[in-house]
Amino acid sequence: MKTRYAVLALALLAGCPNQARNESIKSANEGSKALGAKQFDTAITAFKKATDGFHDNHLAWYGLGAAYAQRQEWPAAVDAFTTAAQIEPDQPMYQMWLGIAMYEKQVKVAREEEAHKQNKKVEEVQADLGSIDFGQAQQHLAKAVELNKDMWRAHYYLGKIYRAQDKPKDAATELTAAITANPREAGPYVALGEIYRRWDYSDAAISVAQQGINNVPGDTDKSDIYYVLGMGYDDKANESEAIKAFTEALKRKRDNHLAQFQRGQAYFRTQDFSDAKTDLEAFQKSGGASVEFAKSQATKMLMQMTAAQNAKDHAGDKKPTPEEATKKGGFQPPKR
């Protein structure tokens, strides 16, 4: 999902002929230009210069937080967004991004701790989000939607927090609000579809995924939606439609490893062993360490297919009994 930051007019800070303020505005404008060009080091330097020259330049603090967030340096982003929100507490964008940065910081710390515990890379593990207290992040996100109910990303992150807290109804409400506020973003459709699947509401999950496919532009984001669609059909044991959906997911993102694994399983269940073998072998080669359990399942299915093929290939090697051979006219009694 693409990350976008609202461009707030730095002219809002103008109006006072203060040299320090004017220099701060100039530096913040330079930072905004660099941020738009994804020159994050340059942007950070310019925004810091702006805040050093005029501490109350809340737009510079916001821009600084945005630059750190783009680099996923969440602790620094939290500090910058916190200052922006302290200066202008009624700005919903500041409240939203402070909540998001707090959430992402906590998730990153939890994953790093889990990776250390398992002696694995961070990208190879999943953290237990249910054990995290997202209270502060939730407070700022709630403040954002209180100030502006159309802050779709705030609704989306609230939905993620409620999902982690095992509050599926609240999560579904927030994710639905996110879709209503901005129907062109993929994330809420994926998250809502997964919640419906968890409830065993397969038809609802399929319906949400189909809405997402119709509304979300671009191919890459749609890959994950097609995956949810395929899983919805998989839950209903509709193998043909599941295969179609997983195929569409892979067309849009070739490295959607889970879609390849699920399509391979669907082929296996329909006894299309040739296509199943192709998918499962490809999944074994490309799937990362975070899908080790799925890899073991793929290995098991490949072994079963190999055993079945060997049995088929050697079905004619069994030595016939005298009775069987006689019936076939091929048995000759041994000479005395």
Side-chain angles (χ1 to χ4, degrees):
M1 181 175 57
K2 301 180 181 66
T3 302
R4 304 184 182 94
Y5 299 90
V7 178
L8 302 178
L10 291 173
L12 292 174
L13 291 171
C16 178
N18 181 291
Q19 183 63 28
R21 178 183 291 215
N22 290 339
E23 287 297 324
S24 176
I25 293 172
K26 180 180 177 181
S27 295
N29 277 322
E30 292 172 356
S32 294
K33 183 177 179 181
L35 181 61
K38 297 185 177 181
Q39 298 170 350
F40 303 128
D41 289 340
T42 301
I44 288 170
T45 299
F47 285 131
K48 282 185 174 180
K49 182 179 179 182
T51 58
D52 288 342
F54 178 52
H55 180 272
D56 287 347
N57 188 337
H58 52 89
L59 287 164
W61 285 109
Y62 169 73
L64 181 61
Y68 281 127
Q70 286 276 35
R71 297 204 308 193
Q72 297 187 9
E73 296 179 16
W74 298 112
V78 168
D79 291 342
F81 287 133
T82 295
T83 305
Q86 288 173 342
I87 298 170
E88 285 289 330
D90 291 334
Q91 171 52 253
M93 193 67 69
Y94 300 169
Q95 295 289 344
M96 181 185 77
W97 277 107
L98 176 54
I100 290 173
M102 286 180 167
Y103 171 92
E104 294 290 356
K105 175 185 174 181
Q106 289 177 279
V107 171
K108 183 177 181 181
V109 169
R111 291 187 68 185
E112 288 172 346
E113 291 176 350
E114 186 64 26
H116 179 72
K117 187 187 304 182
Q118 297 186 28
N119 194 28
K120 292 183 177 181
K121 297 179 180 178
V122 172
E123 58 270 19
E124 295 176 354
V125 302
Q126 295 294 328
D128 177 15
L129 302 187
S131 63
I132 300 176
D133 181 4
F134 289 115
Q136 283 189 307
Q138 187 174 349
Q139 178 182 344
H140 290 289
L141 292 166
K143 179 67 173 178
V145 297
E146 177 186 331
L147 293 167
N148 183 348
K149 65 180 180 62
D150 293 328
M151 304 291 287
W152 78 267
R153 203 185 297 270
H155 285 296
Y156 174 48
Y157 270 83
L158 281 170
K160 293 172 76 170
I161 289 173
Y162 283 130
R163 181 177 61 183
Q165 295 172 341
D166 198 23
K167 297 179 180 178
K169 289 185 179 179
D170 292 328
T173 297
E174 291 298 335
L175 294 170
T176 300
I179 291 171
T180 301
N182 187 352
R184 296 173 68 79
E185 291 290 339
Y189 292 104
V190 173
L192 184 57
E194 290 294 350
I195 286 176
Y196 282 138
R197 288 190 58 238
R198 190 183 303 177
W199 284 348
D200 292 328
Y201 292 170
S202 301
D203 289 334
I206 290 169
S207 177
V208 166
Q210 289 173 332
Q211 289 176 37
I213 289 166
N214 291 333
N215 292 331
V216 175
D219 280 347
T220 301
D221 289 342
K222 281 187 180 179
S223 178
D224 292 335
I225 303 177
Y226 270 112
Y227 175 77
V228 173
L229 179 63
M231 292 305 296
Y233 282 123
D234 183 89
D235 293 338
K236 292 171 66 69
N238 189 335
E239 308 292 3
S240 61
E241 290 299 321
I243 289 170
K244 288 179 185 178
F246 294 137
T247 299
E248 292 298 325
L250 286 163
K251 282 181 181 178
R252 287 156 176 79
K253 190 164 63 176
R254 291 304 309 170
D255 62 350
N256 193 332
H257 306 310
L258 289 178
Q260 189 148 51
F261 171 63
Q262 294 296 344
R263 189 176 69 173
Q265 285 195 107
Y267 280 136
F268 178 82
R269 288 191 294 267
T270 59
Q271 298 188 7
D272 181 350
F273 293 153
S274 176
D275 286 331
K277 185 172 183 289
T278 299
D279 272 348
L280 295 173
E281 286 182 342
F283 170 71
Q284 284 189 316
K285 293 176 183 177
S286 58
S290 61
V291 290
E292 285 299 331
F293 178 71
K295 280 187 172 183
S296 68
Q297 290 180 301
T299 299
K300 183 178 180 180
M301 283 182 281
L302 286 167
M303 291 175 64
Q304 289 176 334
M305 286 186 286
T306 299
Q309 186 61 51
N310 287 338
K312 181 178 179 181
D313 291 343
H314 297 288
D317 294 348
K318 182 180 177 182
K319 185 177 180 180
T321 65
E323 292 80 7
E324 291 172 336
T326 301
K327 289 179 181 178
K328 295 178 181 178
F331 175 71
Q332 298 293 329
K335 295 181 180 180
R336 293 185 183 275

